[in-house]
Amino acid sequence: MRLVLLGAPGSGKGTQAQRLRDDRGIPQVSSGDLLRDAVARGTDLGKRAKASMDAGELVSDEIVLGLIRERLGRPDASKGFILDGYPRNVAQAGALDALLAEIGQPIDAVVLMDVDQNALVRRLTGRRTCPVCGKVFNVYFSPSAAGDRCDNDHEGEAPLLVQRADDKEDVIANRLKVYEGQTQPLVEHYRSRGLLKVVNADQTVEQVYADFLRAAEK
Ligand code: AMP
């Protein structure tokens, strides 16, 4: 299964990709997570990416392609992958096609997580993440059973959940604008190639997952 997940920030791509990864053992390849990891480790690449991320702008195509190329080259990606957050503009879609042709692993489907734009700000301001296992919660829609801590099994005391720096309201507005201007055109791009599947993401996480599986397996 080789999938691309499309959708606005806050549409639930990460949550759904994590579920599928846990169910099927297919890696979730999230460009945002790869970038945040590079920033946290203080690598050169992370230093170059940080200012754009803090402002809610896209990081340069060349930096992100390098990370994706390296990640898809790892052994666990040979049995499939779920691309989450990549590609993000038409140039990246072209670069991805070339990369996948090179490694002989074309995309099976592109799944759009379709959401009501008006609900996105709440979905983003409510988002909290476990800094250790990466599990995503939402204080309004899917809170942790352990309050402000992660409800997954952890050794010792469960970690406190954190809010992403770019999930603050001023940055969110820019991220949504960037999505509309640069990423949304990919919907038509993939639809015209017959690859696009649309999932109604304004449902419970379970309902979305059921529809997502159906779309991915068709
Ligand atoms: P995300 O976790 O997908 O919301 O990404 C967080 C931030 O990382 C974005 O606002 C961008 O600054 C950067 N980013 C993630 N994926 C990409 C990408 N494919 N191209 C450029 N920048 C990206």
Side-chain angles (χ1 to χ4, degrees), residues 9 13 30-33 35-36 49 52-54 56-61 64 84-89 92 127 164 166 175:
K13 299 187 298 296
S30 154
S31 46
D33 285 349
L35 286 163
R36 278 184 289 278
S52 304
M53 294 176 74
D54 286 347
E57 298 289 339
L58 294 186
V59 172
S60 82
D61 293 345
V64 187
D84 162 12
Y86 189 87
R88 208 78 154 220
N89 60 31
Q92 291 183 8
R127 178 156 67 180
R164 276 171 45 173
D166 61 353
R175 289 165 63 208

Side-chain angles (χ1 to χ4, degrees), residues 36 121-131 139-140 160-169 172:
R36 278 184 289 278
V121 173
R122 222 158 166 242
R123 291 172 75 133
L124 288 162
T125 52
R127 178 156 67 180
R128 300 289 183 277
T129 313
C130 173
V139 296
Y140 306 118
L160 275 172
L161 302 177
V162 295
Q163 183 175 35
R164 276 171 45 173
D166 61 353
D167 277 344
K168 306 280 159 64
E169 259 183 86
I172 286 173

Side-chain angles (χ1 to χ4, degrees), residues 88-104:
R88 208 78 154 220
N89 60 31
V90 174
Q92 291 183 8
L96 178 65
D97 277 349
L99 170 61
L100 296 182
E102 192 184 309
I103 60 177

Side-chain angles (χ1 to χ4, degrees), residues 39-54:
V39 171
R41 286 187 293 120
T43 64
D44 269 0
L45 197 146
K47 285 180 192 144
R48 285 167 60 205
K50 188 172 183 311
S52 304
M53 294 176 74
D54 286 347

